[in-house]
Amino acid sequence: MTNNTDQYFSHRATVRIFDRSLHISDETLRGIIELASHAPNTGNMQLYSVVVTRGEDLKKELAALHYNQPAAVGADVLLTVCADTRRFDTWCKARDAESGLNNFGGRLSALTDAAIFAQQIVTIAELDGIGCCYLGTATYNVDDFCKVLGLPTGVIPVVGIAMGYPAGDVPAPSDRLPVEAIMHSETFSDYTPGQIDEYYHEKESLPESAGFISLNGKKTLAQVYADVRYPADLNEAVGQAMLRHMK
């Protein structure tokens, strides 16, 4: 049995090109964020915040920190979703309590809350006809994002969201691994070489995958991901920056 919700999820796609003549109203954006605030979270503490950036000058600064990705450059609105334990800590101080969140565990709860909140924003916006693009580069320049947005201790940028009304048709959905690759029954079943071949066959067979391999001078698509897109040194740098702000 299918319904409009199934249709949305099976056809949803990231939008990176926006119609610059159309603008998301303040009322619409506020409504999206208010609805998204009903997302599940840790202990109903809502350990997240979102910085809304509309001003052209500040959007240009943020776009540069997002490496001038087309979605960031052309967005009508840029959101920066943050893990935020500071609000809870400040409340505790004002009520003669000592916050227990000033540690890695507390920051991890905030990161989880922020990720769920961000996805709720994207889903609600897309159902309202607004295009969205996640900008994971918010974690690549943590120090600079904190400086530009005035983020104090206890507030960590987790993900950016570029938003705007799509220019033209929404793109086709991206490829996904088959459900068998991600769904485990009762307990976790480790992957066999044969299963890996089966699960990644379609992705590796796409024409664009062959283009990525050729462009980057690699032998396999896995090498493109591991050596070029998400190499160890990049992930280590991101991790160290995040850990500095989790103390």
Side-chain angles (χ1 to χ4, degrees):
M1 182 177 181
T2 60
N3 53 39
N4 289 339
T5 302
D6 295 333
Q7 187 83 351
Y8 160 71
F9 282 106
S10 64
H11 287 75
R12 76 143 306 277
T14 295
V15 172
R16 294 180 172 85
I17 306 298
F18 304 103
D19 187 336
R20 297 196 180 199
S21 68
L22 299 176
H23 301 286
I24 303 167
S25 71
D26 290 339
E27 181 181 8
T28 295
L29 186 56
R30 180 184 177 87
I32 290 169
I33 292 172
E34 184 174 2
L35 289 174
S37 72
H38 291 275
N41 63 90
T42 304
N44 202 26
M45 292 184 287
Q46 295 181 260
L47 303 175
Y48 53 74
S49 287
V50 57
V51 180
V52 178
T53 303
R54 285 186 176 278
E56 291 302 321
D57 290 342
L58 194 51
K59 280 199 297 182
K60 287 180 181 178
E61 281 194 70
L62 294 183
L65 295 181
H66 285 300
Y67 301 98
N68 287 319
Q69 298 175 66
V73 172
D76 182 43
V77 180
L78 286 176
L79 304 184
T80 307
V81 178
C82 304
D84 181 357
T85 58
R86 188 175 184 86
R87 185 177 57 249
F88 179 85
D89 295 344
T90 304
W91 178 51
C92 286
K93 289 179 183 178
R95 298 294 184 269
D96 195 28
E98 186 172 344
S99 172
L101 300 180
N102 296 313
N103 47 62
F104 181 79
R107 301 290 193 261
L108 183 59
S109 293
L111 289 169
T112 302
D113 282 7
I116 296 171
F117 175 59
Q119 182 54 54
Q120 198 91 327
I121 289 174
V122 168
T123 299
I124 294 167
E126 289 178 341
L127 286 170
D128 202 29
I130 295 169
C132 297
C133 178
Y134 272 119
L135 302 169
T137 38
T139 60
Y140 290 14
N141 292 299
V142 173
D143 294 331
D144 289 333
F145 273 97
C146 288
K147 181 179 179 180
V148 170
L149 296 176
L151 305 182
T153 301
V155 183
I156 307 168
V158 176
V159 68
I161 304 174
M163 301 177 68
Y165 288 100
D169 295 333
V170 173
S174 298
D175 65 281
R176 290 293 188 265
L177 297 175
V179 69
E180 291 81 11
I182 60 175
M183 182 176 175
H184 300 255
S185 179
E186 305 299 344
T187 59
F188 188 92
S189 299
D190 206 358
Y191 311 105
T192 67
Q195 286 174 323
I196 292 298
D197 289 343
E198 177 186 351
Y199 297 157
Y200 284 90
H201 173 73
E202 182 178 350
K203 182 184 289 287
E204 292 175 331
S205 299
L206 293 171
E208 53 264 40
S209 295
F212 294 147
I213 294 169
S214 175
L215 179 65
N216 291 284
K218 298 296 179 179
K219 295 180 179 179
T220 69
L221 185 62
Q223 289 178 349
V224 174
Y225 276 83
D227 299 342
V228 180
R229 289 189 172 184
Y230 304 101
D233 57 351
L234 171 63
N235 287 302
E236 289 168 1
V238 169
Q240 289 301 317
M242 294 293 281
L243 285 172
R244 285 199 304 273
H245 287 270
M246 287 186 183
K247 293 179 181 180

